[in-house]
Amino acid sequence: MTMKEITTWSEVLAEADILEVFAIKRSQLDRLRNEKGFPFVKVSNTSRVYLFPDVADWLCKNRRRISEGS
């Protein structure tokens, strides 16, 4: 994805946004990134942002239904 493909800055989420929306702790987000491939953009060694289209795509690909198990 290039900057031209991002239509608004609201599609760029801060780490605090992700933590709030999913109601998770930072350690849980770290685990999602490291173990489950949760998409992010590394801005610096301590700063990351998340692109909404990438997050939405990841959620769809990782969706489970009760009949599918965990």
Side-chain angles (χ1 to χ4, degrees):
M1 172 175 288
T2 66
M3 283 300 289
K4 290 182 181 179
E5 292 173 308
I6 299 173
T7 58
T8 66
W9 281 107
S10 65
E11 293 185 11
V12 178
L13 305 168
E15 194 155 286
D17 297 325
I18 298 293
L19 296 173
E20 182 180 343
V21 167
F22 293 127
I24 59 176
K25 296 177 183 178
R26 188 172 307 276
S27 61
Q28 292 169 304
L29 181 56
D30 291 343
R31 205 166 326 141
L32 282 175
R33 279 194 316 269
N34 295 324
E35 297 174 15
K36 303 290 184 179
F38 193 77
F40 68 96
V41 177
K42 185 176 180 179
V43 177
S44 71
N45 285 338
T46 58
S47 180
R48 296 167 206 79
V49 294
Y50 302 82
L51 304 178
F52 179 79
D54 293 346
V55 172
D57 184 55
W58 185 89
L59 288 170
C60 289
K61 288 179 180 176
N62 288 278
R63 178 177 56 190
R64 300 287 183 261
R65 298 178 192 272
I66 292 174
S67 62
E68 295 174 5
S70 56

Short mmCIF file of all heavy atoms in Angstrom, two decimals:
data_model
loop_
_atom_site.label_atom_id
_atom_site.label_comp_id
_atom_site.label_asym_id
_atom_site.label_seq_id
_atom_site.Cartn_x
_atom_site.Cartn_y
_atom_site.Cartn_z
N MET A 1 0.85 -1.17 0.00
CA MET A 1 0.00 0.00 0.00
C MET A 1 0.89 1.23 0.00
O MET A 1 1.87 1.30 0.72
CB MET A 1 -0.89 -0.02 1.24
CG MET A 1 -1.68 1.25 1.43
SD MET A 1 -2.83 1.14 2.80
CE MET A 1 -4.01 0.05 2.07
N THR A 2 0.56 2.20 -0.81
CA THR A 2 1.32 3.45 -0.85
C THR A 2 0.50 4.55 -0.21
O THR A 2 -0.69 4.40 0.04
CB THR A 2 1.63 3.84 -2.31
OG1 THR A 2 0.40 4.15 -2.98
CG2 THR A 2 2.37 2.74 -3.05
N MET A 3 1.15 5.67 0.06
CA MET A 3 0.44 6.81 0.66
C MET A 3 -0.72 7.24 -0.22
O MET A 3 -1.73 7.69 0.28
CB MET A 3 1.40 7.98 0.88
CG MET A 3 2.30 7.80 2.08
SD MET A 3 1.40 7.62 3.63
CE MET A 3 0.78 9.27 3.86
N LYS A 4 -0.59 7.10 -1.53
CA LYS A 4 -1.68 7.49 -2.42
C LYS A 4 -2.92 6.61 -2.22
O LYS A 4 -4.02 7.03 -2.49
CB LYS A 4 -1.22 7.43 -3.88
CG LYS A 4 -0.23 8.52 -4.22
CD LYS A 4 0.17 8.45 -5.68
CE LYS A 4 1.18 9.53 -5.99
NZ LYS A 4 1.61 9.49 -7.38
N GLU A 5 -2.72 5.37 -1.78
CA GLU A 5 -3.84 4.46 -1.56
C GLU A 5 -4.58 4.74 -0.27
O GLU A 5 -5.71 4.32 -0.10
CB GLU A 5 -3.35 3.02 -1.58
CG GLU A 5 -2.86 2.58 -2.95
CD GLU A 5 -2.23 1.21 -2.92
OE1 GLU A 5 -1.34 1.00 -2.09
OE2 GLU A 5 -2.62 0.38 -3.74
N ILE A 6 -3.95 5.43 0.67
CA ILE A 6 -4.63 5.79 1.91
C ILE A 6 -5.42 7.05 1.64
O ILE A 6 -4.87 8.08 1.27
CB ILE A 6 -3.61 6.03 3.05
CG1 ILE A 6 -2.82 4.75 3.32
CG2 ILE A 6 -4.32 6.49 4.32
CD1 ILE A 6 -1.69 4.93 4.30
N THR A 7 -6.73 6.97 1.81
CA THR A 7 -7.57 8.10 1.43
C THR A 7 -7.69 9.16 2.53
O THR A 7 -7.91 10.32 2.23
CB THR A 7 -8.97 7.62 1.04
OG1 THR A 7 -9.54 6.89 2.12
CG2 THR A 7 -8.90 6.71 -0.18
N THR A 8 -7.58 8.77 3.78
CA THR A 8 -7.67 9.74 4.87
C THR A 8 -6.74 9.32 5.99
O THR A 8 -6.39 8.15 6.13
CB THR A 8 -9.10 9.83 5.45
OG1 THR A 8 -9.41 8.58 6.08
CG2 THR A 8 -10.13 10.15 4.40
N TRP A 9 -6.34 10.29 6.80
CA TRP A 9 -5.49 9.98 7.94
C TRP A 9 -6.22 9.14 8.98
O TRP A 9 -5.59 8.52 9.82
CB TRP A 9 -4.94 11.26 8.56
CG TRP A 9 -3.79 11.78 7.76
CD1 TRP A 9 -3.79 12.87 6.95
CD2 TRP A 9 -2.48 11.22 7.64
NE1 TRP A 9 -2.58 13.03 6.34
CE2 TRP A 9 -1.74 12.03 6.75
CE3 TRP A 9 -1.86 10.13 8.21
CZ2 TRP A 9 -0.42 11.76 6.41
CZ3 TRP A 9 -0.53 9.86 7.87
CH2 TRP A 9 0.16 10.68 6.99
N SER A 10 -7.55 9.12 8.91
CA SER A 10 -8.28 8.29 9.87
C SER A 10 -8.02 6.81 9.63
O SER A 10 -8.35 5.98 10.46
CB SER A 10 -9.78 8.58 9.81
OG SER A 10 -10.30 8.21 8.55
N GLU A 11 -7.43 6.48 8.48
CA GLU A 11 -7.10 5.09 8.20
C GLU A 11 -5.77 4.69 8.85
O GLU A 11 -5.40 3.53 8.81
CB GLU A 11 -7.05 4.85 6.69
CG GLU A 11 -8.41 4.96 6.06
CD GLU A 11 -8.41 4.60 4.58
OE1 GLU A 11 -7.40 4.06 4.09
OE2 GLU A 11 -9.41 4.86 3.93
N VAL A 12 -5.07 5.65 9.43
CA VAL A 12 -3.82 5.37 10.14
C VAL A 12 -4.14 5.40 11.63
O VAL A 12 -4.53 6.43 12.17
CB VAL A 12 -2.73 6.40 9.80
CG1 VAL A 12 -1.46 6.11 10.59
CG2 VAL A 12 -2.45 6.40 8.30
N LEU A 13 -3.98 4.26 12.28
CA LEU A 13 -4.34 4.13 13.69
C LEU A 13 -3.09 4.10 14.56
O LEU A 13 -2.12 3.40 14.24
CB LEU A 13 -5.14 2.85 13.91
CG LEU A 13 -6.39 2.69 13.04
CD1 LEU A 13 -6.93 1.28 13.15
CD2 LEU A 13 -7.44 3.71 13.44
N ALA A 14 -3.14 4.79 15.67
CA ALA A 14 -2.06 4.74 16.65
C ALA A 14 -2.22 3.47 17.48
O ALA A 14 -3.29 2.86 17.53
CB ALA A 14 -2.14 5.96 17.56
N GLU A 15 -1.15 3.08 18.13
CA GLU A 15 -1.20 1.89 18.97
C GLU A 15 -2.27 2.04 20.06
O GLU A 15 -2.99 1.09 20.37
CB GLU A 15 0.17 1.63 19.59
CG GLU A 15 0.28 0.26 20.19
CD GLU A 15 1.72 -0.21 20.26
OE1 GLU A 15 2.28 -0.56 19.21
OE2 GLU A 15 2.25 -0.24 21.38
N ALA A 16 -2.41 3.23 20.60
CA ALA A 16 -3.43 3.47 21.63
C ALA A 16 -4.84 3.22 21.08
O ALA A 16 -5.71 2.74 21.81
CB ALA A 16 -3.32 4.91 22.14
N ASP A 17 -5.05 3.53 19.80
CA ASP A 17 -6.36 3.27 19.18
C ASP A 17 -6.65 1.78 19.14
O ASP A 17 -7.76 1.34 19.46
CB ASP A 17 -6.40 3.82 17.74
CG ASP A 17 -6.23 5.33 17.67
OD1 ASP A 17 -6.71 6.02 18.59
OD2 ASP A 17 -5.61 5.79 16.69
N ILE A 18 -5.66 1.00 18.74
CA ILE A 18 -5.83 -0.45 18.66
C ILE A 18 -6.13 -1.03 20.04
O ILE A 18 -7.04 -1.84 20.21
CB ILE A 18 -4.59 -1.12 18.05
CG1 ILE A 18 -4.34 -0.66 16.61
CG2 ILE A 18 -4.69 -2.65 18.13
CD1 ILE A 18 -5.39 -1.09 15.62
N LEU A 19 -5.38 -0.57 21.05
CA LEU A 19 -5.58 -1.06 22.41
C LEU A 19 -6.99 -0.75 22.90
O LEU A 19 -7.64 -1.59 23.53
CB LEU A 19 -4.54 -0.45 23.35
CG LEU A 19 -3.09 -0.82 23.08
CD1 LEU A 19 -2.17 -0.01 23.99
CD2 LEU A 19 -2.85 -2.31 23.23
N GLU A 20 -7.47 0.45 22.58
CA GLU A 20 -8.80 0.85 23.02
C GLU A 20 -9.90 0.10 22.28
O GLU A 20 -10.83 -0.42 22.90
CB GLU A 20 -8.98 2.35 22.82
CG GLU A 20 -10.33 2.86 23.29
CD GLU A 20 -10.49 4.36 23.08
OE1 GLU A 20 -9.48 5.07 22.88
OE2 GLU A 20 -11.65 4.81 23.12
N VAL A 21 -9.79 0.03 20.97
CA VAL A 21 -10.84 -0.62 20.16
C VAL A 21 -10.99 -2.09 20.52
O VAL A 21 -12.10 -2.60 20.65
CB VAL A 21 -10.54 -0.45 18.66
CG1 VAL A 21 -11.42 -1.36 17.81
CG2 VAL A 21 -10.72 1.00 18.24
N PHE A 22 -9.86 -2.79 20.69
CA PHE A 22 -9.91 -4.21 21.00
C PHE A 22 -9.96 -4.50 22.50
O PHE A 22 -10.09 -5.66 22.89
CB PHE A 22 -8.73 -4.95 20.38
CG PHE A 22 -8.76 -4.97 18.88
CD1 PHE A 22 -7.68 -4.53 18.15
CD2 PHE A 22 -9.88 -5.41 18.19
CE1 PHE A 22 -7.70 -4.55 16.75
CE2 PHE A 22 -9.91 -5.43 16.82
CZ PHE A 22 -8.84 -4.99 16.09
N ALA A 23 -9.85 -3.46 23.31
CA ALA A 23 -9.88 -3.60 24.77
C ALA A 23 -8.87 -4.65 25.23
O ALA A 23 -9.19 -5.60 25.96
CB ALA A 23 -11.28 -3.93 25.26
N ILE A 24 -7.61 -4.47 24.78
CA ILE A 24 -6.55 -5.39 25.15
C ILE A 24 -5.38 -4.62 25.76
O ILE A 24 -5.31 -3.40 25.64
CB ILE A 24 -6.06 -6.23 23.94
CG1 ILE A 24 -5.52 -5.32 22.83
CG2 ILE A 24 -7.15 -7.15 23.44
CD1 ILE A 24 -4.91 -6.06 21.65
N LYS A 25 -4.49 -5.36 26.40
CA LYS A 25 -3.29 -4.77 26.98
C LYS A 25 -2.18 -4.76 25.94
O LYS A 25 -2.19 -5.51 24.97
CB LYS A 25 -2.84 -5.60 28.19
CG LYS A 25 -3.85 -5.60 29.31
CD LYS A 25 -3.38 -6.49 30.43
CE LYS A 25 -4.45 -6.55 31.52
NZ LYS A 25 -4.06 -7.43 32.60
N ARG A 26 -1.19 -3.93 26.18
CA ARG A 26 -0.06 -3.82 25.25
C ARG A 26 0.63 -5.17 25.07
O ARG A 26 1.04 -5.52 23.96
CB ARG A 26 0.94 -2.78 25.76
CG ARG A 26 2.04 -2.46 24.79
CD ARG A 26 2.88 -1.29 25.24
NE ARG A 26 2.11 -0.10 25.56
CZ ARG A 26 1.69 0.80 24.67
NH1 ARG A 26 1.98 0.66 23.42
NH2 ARG A 26 1.02 1.87 25.07
N SER A 27 0.74 -5.95 26.14
CA SER A 27 1.39 -7.26 26.03
C SER A 27 0.60 -8.19 25.10
O SER A 27 1.19 -8.99 24.37
CB SER A 27 1.55 -7.91 27.41
OG SER A 27 0.29 -8.11 28.01
N GLN A 28 -0.71 -8.06 25.12
CA GLN A 28 -1.53 -8.88 24.22
C GLN A 28 -1.35 -8.44 22.77
O GLN A 28 -1.30 -9.28 21.87
CB GLN A 28 -3.01 -8.78 24.62
CG GLN A 28 -3.31 -9.43 25.96
CD GLN A 28 -4.69 -9.11 26.46
OE1 GLN A 28 -5.07 -7.95 26.60
NE2 GLN A 28 -5.48 -10.15 26.69
N LEU A 29 -1.22 -7.14 22.55
CA LEU A 29 -0.96 -6.64 21.20
C LEU A 29 0.41 -7.10 20.72
O LEU A 29 0.57 -7.50 19.56
CB LEU A 29 -1.08 -5.12 21.16
CG LEU A 29 -0.85 -4.46 19.81
CD1 LEU A 29 -1.78 -5.02 18.73
CD2 LEU A 29 -1.02 -2.95 19.92
N ASP A 30 1.40 -7.07 21.60
CA ASP A 30 2.73 -7.57 21.25
C ASP A 30 2.64 -9.03 20.78
O ASP A 30 3.26 -9.41 19.79
CB ASP A 30 3.68 -7.48 22.45
CG ASP A 30 4.05 -6.06 22.82
OD1 ASP A 30 3.85 -5.14 21.99
OD2 ASP A 30 4.54 -5.86 23.95
N ARG A 31 1.88 -9.82 21.50
CA ARG A 31 1.72 -11.23 21.15
C ARG A 31 1.03 -11.39 19.80
O ARG A 31 1.42 -12.24 18.98
CB ARG A 31 0.92 -11.94 22.25
CG ARG A 31 1.18 -13.42 22.31
CD ARG A 31 0.66 -14.03 23.60
NE ARG A 31 0.79 -13.06 24.69
CZ ARG A 31 -0.09 -12.87 25.66
NH1 ARG A 31 -1.15 -13.59 25.74
NH2 ARG A 31 0.09 -11.96 26.59
N LEU A 32 0.01 -10.58 19.55
CA LEU A 32 -0.67 -10.63 18.25
C LEU A 32 0.30 -10.34 17.11
O LEU A 32 0.29 -11.01 16.08
CB LEU A 32 -1.84 -9.64 18.20
CG LEU A 32 -3.12 -10.03 18.90
CD1 LEU A 32 -4.12 -8.87 18.85
CD2 LEU A 32 -3.73 -11.26 18.25
N ARG A 33 1.13 -9.33 17.31
CA ARG A 33 2.11 -8.97 16.27
C ARG A 33 3.14 -10.07 16.08
O ARG A 33 3.42 -10.48 14.95
CB ARG A 33 2.82 -7.66 16.63
CG ARG A 33 2.06 -6.42 16.32
CD ARG A 33 2.96 -5.19 16.38
NE ARG A 33 3.83 -5.20 17.54
CZ ARG A 33 3.54 -4.65 18.71
NH1 ARG A 33 2.41 -4.02 18.88
NH2 ARG A 33 4.40 -4.70 19.71
N ASN A 34 3.71 -10.54 17.18
CA ASN A 34 4.83 -11.49 17.12
C ASN A 34 4.42 -12.92 16.79
O ASN A 34 5.17 -13.63 16.13
CB ASN A 34 5.62 -11.47 18.42
CG ASN A 34 6.29 -10.13 18.66
OD1 ASN A 34 6.75 -9.49 17.73
ND2 ASN A 34 6.32 -9.70 19.90
N GLU A 35 3.26 -13.34 17.26
CA GLU A 35 2.86 -14.73 17.09
C GLU A 35 1.77 -14.94 16.04
O GLU A 35 1.67 -16.02 15.47
CB GLU A 35 2.40 -15.31 18.42
CG GLU A 35 3.50 -15.34 19.48
CD GLU A 35 3.01 -15.78 20.84
OE1 GLU A 35 1.89 -16.33 20.94
OE2 GLU A 35 3.76 -15.58 21.82
N LYS A 36 0.96 -13.93 15.81
CA LYS A 36 -0.18 -14.09 14.91
C LYS A 36 -0.08 -13.27 13.64
O LYS A 36 -0.98 -13.29 12.81
CB LYS A 36 -1.48 -13.73 15.64
CG LYS A 36 -1.74 -14.53 16.90
CD LYS A 36 -2.06 -15.96 16.59
CE LYS A 36 -2.42 -16.71 17.87
NZ LYS A 36 -2.75 -18.09 17.61
N GLY A 37 1.00 -12.49 13.50
CA GLY A 37 1.19 -11.73 12.28
C GLY A 37 0.31 -10.50 12.13
O GLY A 37 0.01 -10.08 11.01
N PHE A 38 -0.11 -9.92 13.25
CA PHE A 38 -0.94 -8.72 13.19
C PHE A 38 -0.15 -7.61 12.49
O PHE A 38 0.98 -7.32 12.86
CB PHE A 38 -1.33 -8.28 14.62
CG PHE A 38 -2.42 -7.27 14.67
CD1 PHE A 38 -3.73 -7.63 14.47
CD2 PHE A 38 -2.12 -5.94 14.92
CE1 PHE A 38 -4.75 -6.68 14.52
CE2 PHE A 38 -3.12 -4.98 14.97
CZ PHE A 38 -4.44 -5.37 14.77
N PRO A 39 -0.73 -7.00 11.45
CA PRO A 39 0.02 -6.05 10.62
C PRO A 39 0.25 -4.70 11.28
O PRO A 39 -0.63 -4.15 11.94
CB PRO A 39 -0.89 -5.90 9.39
CG PRO A 39 -2.27 -6.14 9.92
CD PRO A 39 -2.11 -7.18 11.00
N PHE A 40 1.45 -4.16 11.07
CA PHE A 40 1.81 -2.85 11.61
C PHE A 40 2.90 -2.24 10.76
O PHE A 40 3.52 -2.92 9.95
CB PHE A 40 2.26 -2.96 13.07
CG PHE A 40 3.57 -3.68 13.25
CD1 PHE A 40 4.76 -2.98 13.36
CD2 PHE A 40 3.62 -5.06 13.28
CE1 PHE A 40 5.97 -3.64 13.52
CE2 PHE A 40 4.82 -5.74 13.45
CZ PHE A 40 6.00 -5.02 13.57
N VAL A 41 3.11 -0.95 10.96
CA VAL A 41 4.21 -0.24 10.32
C VAL A 41 5.12 0.26 11.42
O VAL A 41 4.68 0.99 12.31
CB VAL A 41 3.69 0.96 9.47
CG1 VAL A 41 4.85 1.73 8.87
CG2 VAL A 41 2.72 0.48 8.40
N LYS A 42 6.38 -0.14 11.37
CA LYS A 42 7.35 0.29 12.37
C LYS A 42 7.84 1.68 12.00
O LYS A 42 8.47 1.87 10.97
CB LYS A 42 8.51 -0.70 12.43
CG LYS A 42 9.51 -0.40 13.51
CD LYS A 42 10.56 -1.48 13.57
CE LYS A 42 11.55 -1.19 14.66
NZ LYS A 42 12.57 -2.24 14.74
N VAL A 43 7.53 2.65 12.85
CA VAL A 43 7.95 4.04 12.62
C VAL A 43 9.33 4.27 13.23
O VAL A 43 10.16 4.95 12.66
CB VAL A 43 6.91 5.02 13.20
CG1 VAL A 43 7.36 6.45 13.03
CG2 VAL A 43 5.54 4.79 12.54
N SER A 44 9.55 3.70 14.40
CA SER A 44 10.85 3.76 15.07
C SER A 44 10.95 2.52 15.96
O SER A 44 10.05 1.68 15.96
CB SER A 44 10.98 5.04 15.89
OG SER A 44 10.13 4.97 17.03
N ASN A 45 12.01 2.44 16.74
CA ASN A 45 12.17 1.28 17.63
C ASN A 45 11.06 1.16 18.66
O ASN A 45 10.78 0.08 19.17
CB ASN A 45 13.52 1.33 18.34
CG ASN A 45 14.65 0.94 17.41
OD1 ASN A 45 14.43 0.26 16.41
ND2 ASN A 45 15.85 1.38 17.72
N THR A 46 10.44 2.27 18.99
CA THR A 46 9.40 2.25 20.03
C THR A 46 8.04 2.72 19.53
O THR A 46 7.10 2.80 20.33
CB THR A 46 9.82 3.14 21.21
OG1 THR A 46 10.04 4.47 20.72
CG2 THR A 46 11.08 2.62 21.87
N SER A 47 7.91 3.01 18.26
CA SER A 47 6.66 3.56 17.74
C SER A 47 6.16 2.77 16.53
O SER A 47 6.92 2.47 15.62
CB SER A 47 6.86 5.03 17.35
OG SER A 47 5.68 5.57 16.85
N ARG A 48 4.88 2.43 16.55
CA ARG A 48 4.24 1.72 15.45
C ARG A 48 2.91 2.37 15.14
O ARG A 48 2.27 2.95 16.01
CB ARG A 48 3.98 0.26 15.84
CG ARG A 48 5.19 -0.57 16.11
CD ARG A 48 4.77 -1.86 16.79
NE ARG A 48 5.83 -2.42 17.60
CZ ARG A 48 6.17 -2.02 18.82
NH1 ARG A 48 5.52 -1.06 19.40
NH2 ARG A 48 7.15 -2.59 19.47
N VAL A 49 2.50 2.24 13.89
CA VAL A 49 1.15 2.64 13.49
C VAL A 49 0.52 1.47 12.76
O VAL A 49 1.20 0.53 12.34
CB VAL A 49 1.14 3.91 12.59
CG1 VAL A 49 1.62 5.12 13.37
CG2 VAL A 49 1.91 3.70 11.32
N TYR A 50 -0.78 1.54 12.60
CA TYR A 50 -1.55 0.45 12.02
C TYR A 50 -2.44 1.03 10.93
O TYR A 50 -3.12 2.03 11.16
CB TYR A 50 -2.38 -0.24 13.10
CG TYR A 50 -1.50 -0.76 14.21
CD1 TYR A 50 -1.06 0.08 15.23
CD2 TYR A 50 -1.08 -2.07 14.23
CE1 TYR A 50 -0.22 -0.37 16.22
CE2 TYR A 50 -0.25 -2.54 15.23
CZ TYR A 50 0.18 -1.69 16.21
OH TYR A 50 1.02 -2.15 17.20
N LEU A 51 -2.42 0.42 9.76
CA LEU A 51 -3.25 0.88 8.65
C LEU A 51 -4.58 0.14 8.69
O LEU A 51 -4.60 -1.10 8.69
CB LEU A 51 -2.54 0.66 7.32
CG LEU A 51 -1.16 1.31 7.21
CD1 LEU A 51 -0.53 0.98 5.86
CD2 LEU A 51 -1.27 2.82 7.39
N PHE A 52 -5.66 0.90 8.74
CA PHE A 52 -6.98 0.29 8.89
C PHE A 52 -7.25 -0.80 7.85
O PHE A 52 -7.73 -1.88 8.22
CB PHE A 52 -8.08 1.37 8.86
CG PHE A 52 -9.44 0.76 8.98
CD1 PHE A 52 -9.93 0.37 10.22
CD2 PHE A 52 -10.23 0.55 7.86
CE1 PHE A 52 -11.18 -0.21 10.34
CE2 PHE A 52 -11.48 -0.03 7.97
CZ PHE A 52 -11.96 -0.42 9.21
N PRO A 53 -6.96 -0.57 6.55
CA PRO A 53 -7.23 -1.65 5.58
C PRO A 53 -6.48 -2.94 5.90
O PRO A 53 -7.02 -4.03 5.73
CB PRO A 53 -6.77 -1.06 4.25
CG PRO A 53 -6.86 0.42 4.44
CD PRO A 53 -6.48 0.65 5.88
N ASP A 54 -5.24 -2.83 6.39
CA ASP A 54 -4.46 -4.02 6.75
C ASP A 54 -5.07 -4.73 7.96
O ASP A 54 -5.16 -5.97 7.99
CB ASP A 54 -3.02 -3.65 7.08
CG ASP A 54 -2.25 -3.15 5.87
OD1 ASP A 54 -2.72 -3.33 4.73
OD2 ASP A 54 -1.16 -2.58 6.08
N VAL A 55 -5.49 -3.95 8.94
CA VAL A 55 -6.10 -4.52 10.15
C VAL A 55 -7.41 -5.22 9.80
O VAL A 55 -7.67 -6.34 10.22
CB VAL A 55 -6.31 -3.44 11.23
CG1 VAL A 55 -7.13 -3.99 12.40
CG2 VAL A 55 -4.96 -2.92 11.72
N ALA A 56 -8.24 -4.57 8.98
CA ALA A 56 -9.53 -5.15 8.58
C ALA A 56 -9.30 -6.45 7.81
O ALA A 56 -10.00 -7.45 8.03
CB ALA A 56 -10.32 -4.15 7.75
N ASP A 57 -8.32 -6.46 6.91
CA ASP A 57 -8.01 -7.66 6.14
C ASP A 57 -7.54 -8.78 7.06
O ASP A 57 -7.97 -9.93 6.93
CB ASP A 57 -6.94 -7.33 5.09
CG ASP A 57 -6.62 -8.50 4.20
OD1 ASP A 57 -7.57 -9.05 3.58
OD2 ASP A 57 -5.43 -8.87 4.10
N TRP A 58 -6.67 -8.46 8.03
CA TRP A 58 -6.18 -9.46 8.97
C TRP A 58 -7.34 -10.04 9.78
O TRP A 58 -7.40 -11.26 9.99
CB TRP A 58 -5.14 -8.83 9.90
CG TRP A 58 -4.49 -9.81 10.83
CD1 TRP A 58 -3.39 -10.55 10.60
CD2 TRP A 58 -4.94 -10.16 12.15
NE1 TRP A 58 -3.10 -11.34 11.69
CE2 TRP A 58 -4.04 -11.12 12.66
CE3 TRP A 58 -6.00 -9.75 12.96
CZ2 TRP A 58 -4.17 -11.68 13.92
CZ3 TRP A 58 -6.14 -10.31 14.22
CH2 TRP A 58 -5.23 -11.25 14.69
N LEU A 59 -8.25 -9.18 10.22
CA LEU A 59 -9.40 -9.65 11.00
C LEU A 59 -10.24 -10.62 10.19
O LEU A 59 -10.65 -11.67 10.69
CB LEU A 59 -10.25 -8.47 11.47
CG LEU A 59 -9.65 -7.61 12.57
CD1 LEU A 59 -10.49 -6.35 12.77
CD2 LEU A 59 -9.53 -8.39 13.86
N CYS A 60 -10.49 -10.29 8.93
CA CYS A 60 -11.29 -11.17 8.07
C CYS A 60 -10.59 -12.51 7.85
O CYS A 60 -11.23 -13.56 7.90
CB CYS A 60 -11.57 -10.49 6.74
SG CYS A 60 -12.73 -9.12 6.86
N LYS A 61 -9.30 -12.48 7.62
CA LYS A 61 -8.55 -13.72 7.38
C LYS A 61 -8.44 -14.59 8.62
O LYS A 61 -8.29 -15.80 8.51
CB LYS A 61 -7.15 -13.39 6.87
CG LYS A 61 -7.14 -12.88 5.45
CD LYS A 61 -5.73 -12.55 5.01
CE LYS A 61 -5.75 -12.03 3.57
NZ LYS A 61 -4.41 -11.60 3.14
N ASN A 62 -8.52 -13.99 9.79
CA ASN A 62 -8.37 -14.73 11.04
C ASN A 62 -9.69 -14.96 11.76
O ASN A 62 -9.70 -15.44 12.89
CB ASN A 62 -7.38 -14.01 11.96
CG ASN A 62 -5.97 -14.15 11.43
OD1 ASN A 62 -5.33 -15.16 11.66
ND2 ASN A 62 -5.51 -13.16 10.69
N ARG A 63 -10.78 -14.66 11.10
CA ARG A 63 -12.10 -14.87 11.70
C ARG A 63 -12.37 -16.36 11.86
O ARG A 63 -12.04 -17.17 11.00
CB ARG A 63 -13.17 -14.23 10.80
CG ARG A 63 -14.57 -14.44 11.31
CD ARG A 63 -15.57 -13.76 10.43
NE ARG A 63 -15.44 -14.22 9.05
CZ ARG A 63 -16.06 -13.67 8.03
NH1 ARG A 63 -16.83 -12.63 8.20
NH2 ARG A 63 -15.90 -14.15 6.82
N ARG A 64 -12.93 -16.73 12.97
CA ARG A 64 -13.29 -18.11 13.23
C ARG A 64 -14.77 -18.16 13.55
O ARG A 64 -15.33 -17.27 14.17
CB ARG A 64 -12.52 -18.68 14.43
CG ARG A 64 -11.02 -18.67 14.25
CD ARG A 64 -10.60 -19.75 13.26
NE ARG A 64 -9.16 -19.81 13.13
CZ ARG A 64 -8.47 -19.23 12.14
NH1 ARG A 64 -9.09 -18.53 11.22
NH2 ARG A 64 -7.16 -19.35 12.09
N ARG A 65 -15.38 -19.23 13.14
CA ARG A 65 -16.78 -19.47 13.46
C ARG A 65 -16.84 -20.60 14.49
O ARG A 65 -15.93 -21.42 14.57
CB ARG A 65 -17.56 -19.83 12.22
CG ARG A 65 -17.54 -18.72 11.19
CD ARG A 65 -18.29 -19.14 9.93
NE ARG A 65 -18.04 -18.22 8.84
CZ ARG A 65 -18.74 -17.12 8.61
NH1 ARG A 65 -19.73 -16.78 9.42
NH2 ARG A 65 -18.47 -16.35 7.60
N ILE A 66 -17.89 -20.64 15.25
CA ILE A 66 -18.02 -21.66 16.31
C ILE A 66 -17.83 -23.06 15.74
O ILE A 66 -17.16 -23.88 16.33
CB ILE A 66 -19.39 -21.53 17.03
CG1 ILE A 66 -19.43 -20.23 17.81
CG2 ILE A 66 -19.63 -22.72 17.94
CD1 ILE A 66 -20.75 -19.91 18.43
N SER A 67 -18.37 -23.31 14.57
CA SER A 67 -18.26 -24.64 13.98
C SER A 67 -16.85 -25.00 13.55
O SER A 67 -16.53 -26.15 13.36
CB SER A 67 -19.20 -24.76 12.77
OG SER A 67 -18.81 -23.81 11.79
N GLU A 68 -15.95 -23.98 13.45
CA GLU A 68 -14.59 -24.23 13.02
C GLU A 68 -13.65 -24.51 14.18
O GLU A 68 -12.50 -24.87 13.97
CB GLU A 68 -14.05 -23.00 12.25
CG GLU A 68 -14.78 -22.74 10.96
CD GLU A 68 -14.33 -21.46 10.30
OE1 GLU A 68 -13.38 -20.82 10.79
OE2 GLU A 68 -14.92 -21.07 9.29
N GLY A 69 -14.10 -24.31 15.37
CA GLY A 69 -13.22 -24.49 16.54
C GLY A 69 -12.39 -23.25 16.78
O GLY A 69 -12.64 -22.20 16.24
N SER A 70 -11.33 -23.41 17.58
CA SER A 70 -10.53 -22.23 17.95
C SER A 70 -9.43 -21.93 16.98
O SER A 70 -9.02 -22.63 16.16
CB SER A 70 -9.94 -22.41 19.34
OG SER A 70 -9.20 -23.61 19.40
#
